[in-house]
Amino acid sequence: MSVTTAGLLQLGVLLVLLAVVYIPFGNYLAAVFTSGKHWRVEKAVYRVVGVDPDAEQRWTGYAAALLAFSFLSIVLLYLLQRLQGLLPLSLGRGAVEPGIAFNTAVSFVTNTNWQSYVPETVMGHLVQMAGLTVQNFVSAAVGMGVAAALVRGFVRASSDRIGNFWVDLVRGTVRVLLPLSFVAAIVLVALGVTMSLRAGVDVTGVDGAQSTIALAPTASQEAIKELGTNGGGIFNANSAHPFENPNGVSNILEIFLLLVIPVCLTRAFGVMVRDTRQGHVLLAVMGVLWGGLLAVAWWAETHPNGPAALLAGSALEGKEVRFGIPSSVLFAVSTTGTSTGAVNSLHDSYTGLGGGVVLLNMLLGEVAPGGVGAGLYGILVLAVIAVFLAGLMVGRTPEYLGKKLGRAQVTAAAIAILAMPTVVLLGTGAALAQPGELESALANSGAHGLSEVFYAYASAGNNNGSAFAGLTVTSPFFQSTLGLAMLFGRFVPILAVLALAGSLAAQKRVAPGAGTLPTNGPLFGVLVGGTVVLVAALTFFPALALGPIAEALA
């Protein structure tokens, strides 16, 4: 069997698995965020934290609760790292440096999981499990809650309530993430992923030399790392490490886990707005973007330039031989399209065009299909912009799902889509204006060096977490600026989306008229897809031309 045939079979298996679970799991997700009943374990949590689960919040109250929870999470995770030397299961590792602790706390709370440290030498098991893994659950639940709040804004009429943040947080964790992660972790262990509280195991090499291979409670973090589109590895090599991702079956399972919730949330959206075709349109846009970028990256990595790659017949540098190019590219496009950041190959070693694809995937706003919750509310914001542009072209007040889109709604949507380009371009520009910082941090010059810096801030601003490895970001400048990029890239769009949800919920429903643009058909899908590409093209084309495009043409 050829490598291409094997890759196509893997792709086919992945698509079949997603198709099988799409309707039942999407329906379940819709039920999670619309049910009026509370589970016993959920009621116990509400009593402990003093929350009335039946009291819904205005968008301002929802936002305040979300920000307070996230701020407290950052503080607690920072303190946990700084006090590591006093904690059990620290494995003899002392307190994490202040800059790394701040960056890591912000990173995991914002669902970015950017790592500027070597996990197996810096973090003890307790910090990994009680700190980082917990944030993998709750940060993903926050994203789902925001998406559910926005959908409620479209569904409700003449209301000032968009739900209860604490209920959405608990339900997303208890009803979705915990049970699925538990099952996935068991399957991963069966496939060969390690699960141990030991620090490591001593081995003897073929030359007789003694060495220690690090161990960790890997499977439990690997499952939620992918399912929650988090991405932070328990080992420095991330999902390229054989203890995290030992074979082709585990590789397909991990790709499935990082895609399944974002994909099925489109079904949940259609069910919640009582028109499943609305969800199908969004899924089609996501699928076309994902499939198109996958095809380009696959072609680029199998048709490289450069003498070494041409001699090998493909760009194999930085790729695990047990996966090869098809599985590596499939993982890379899926992880950068879902704000996951996990990697099973070195993106820095991709060809100019291949590296440009994974970078562009983030710059599109990570809506193909996007992170857990973030992908749905991200593409809905772009759909609002698309409807507004269509209304301008025909001279009518735009309407979407029975709600008029006026100045308040379009302003909120514009803030949501402009926040990411602002932090990415300002951050990249600030770094490039610091030659002293780049001299010691940047391993490459020219177009590829620019791509490395650009990729770092695109990853942070989009809450992705993957990186081009040629940039060392351990200095205070990078720790702080990337941390700020993560904060603003996460919470400014969330606040704008919640404001949009509140303004939509307050409106009365408008009956469709003769001039209403149908939003459940192919024409609207083309309009939304064109808006996604147009926004990224106008914003980032100059930077892309100087970086990956220039490298690809060299």
Side-chain angles (χ1 to χ4, degrees), residues 175-463:
R175 301 191 187 187
V176 181
L177 298 172
L178 273 172
L180 291 181
S181 296
F182 180 79
V183 174
I186 293 175
V187 175
L188 288 172
V189 169
L191 292 172
V193 176
T194 59
M195 190 69 187
S196 173
L197 292 179
R198 296 173 61 185
V201 58
D202 295 328
V203 297
T204 303
V206 293
D207 58 353
Q210 296 286 326
S211 60
T212 300
I213 299 178
L215 292 173
T218 313
S220 59
Q221 181 158 319
E222 191 73 17
I224 186 56
K225 152 188 153 180
E226 311 295 9
L227 184 66
T229 61
N230 296 284
I234 204 164
F235 297 108
N236 194 43
N238 207 280
S239 292
H241 198 293
F243 288 176
E244 289 196 27
N245 192 5
N247 51 57
V249 178
S250 65
N251 192 65
I252 287 295
L253 174 61
E254 291 182 16
I255 297 174
F256 170 79
L257 289 175
L258 61 90
L259 289 173
V260 64
I261 294 180
V263 166
C264 292
L265 275 174
T266 60
R267 170 71 183 187
F269 166 70
V271 172
M272 291 173 73
V273 299
R274 300 179 181 87
D275 184 356
T276 55
R277 292 178 298 174
Q278 299 286 349
H280 295 162
V281 171
L282 300 185
L283 178 62
V285 174
M286 293 174 174
V288 169
L289 291 173
W290 178 81
L293 291 171
L294 175 63
V296 173
W298 194 334
W299 181 89
E301 297 307 297
T302 52
H303 296 78
N305 51 16
L310 289 173
L311 185 62
S314 57
L316 292 172
E317 179 187 312
K319 297 180 178 66
E320 283 293 314
V321 292
R322 65 184 187 277
F323 302 136
I325 285 179
S327 294
S328 299
V329 170
L330 180 59
F331 201 110
V333 172
S334 299
T335 195
T336 52
T338 55
S339 75
T340 306
V343 295
N344 75 346
S345 58
L346 188 63
H347 293 183
D348 195 38
S349 294
Y350 276 42
T351 62
L353 182 57
V357 166
V358 294
L359 175 58
L360 178 61
N361 218 358
M362 295 186 292
L363 299 177
L364 290 175
E366 291 184 328
V367 292
V372 169
L376 179 60
Y377 68 68
I379 201 165
L380 283 175
V381 166
L382 287 162
V384 167
I385 297 296
V387 173
F388 174 70
L389 294 176
L392 289 180
M393 289 188 285
V394 299
R396 289 182 56 89
T397 300
E399 302 169 11
Y400 185 41
L401 299 176
K403 298 298 178 73
K404 289 187 177 292
L405 303 178
R407 183 176 65 180
Q409 293 74 36
V410 175
T411 299
I415 292 173
I417 65 171
L418 290 176
M420 180 271 291
T422 301
V423 299
V424 170
L425 294 176
L426 286 180
T428 303
L432 294 174
Q434 304 290 327
E437 292 286 344
L438 294 180
E439 185 177 357
S440 58
L442 196 59
N444 298 280
S445 59
H448 192 73
L450 172 61
S451 295
E452 290 174 343
V453 178
F454 191 19
Y455 193 104
Y457 286 94
S459 179
N462 282 282
N463 303 128

Side-chain angles (χ1 to χ4, degrees), residues 66-78:
L66 186 153
L67 291 177
F69 175 77
S70 300
F71 175 76
L72 182 60
S73 296
I74 291 173
V75 172
L76 291 177
L77 185 52
Y78 175 84

Side-chain angles (χ1 to χ4, degrees), residues 481-503:
T481 56
L482 288 170
L484 291 173
M486 296 176 210
L487 284 171
F488 287 110
R490 173 73 164 180
F491 293 115
V492 172
I494 281 179
L495 292 177
V497 166
L498 292 176
L500 174 62
S503 66

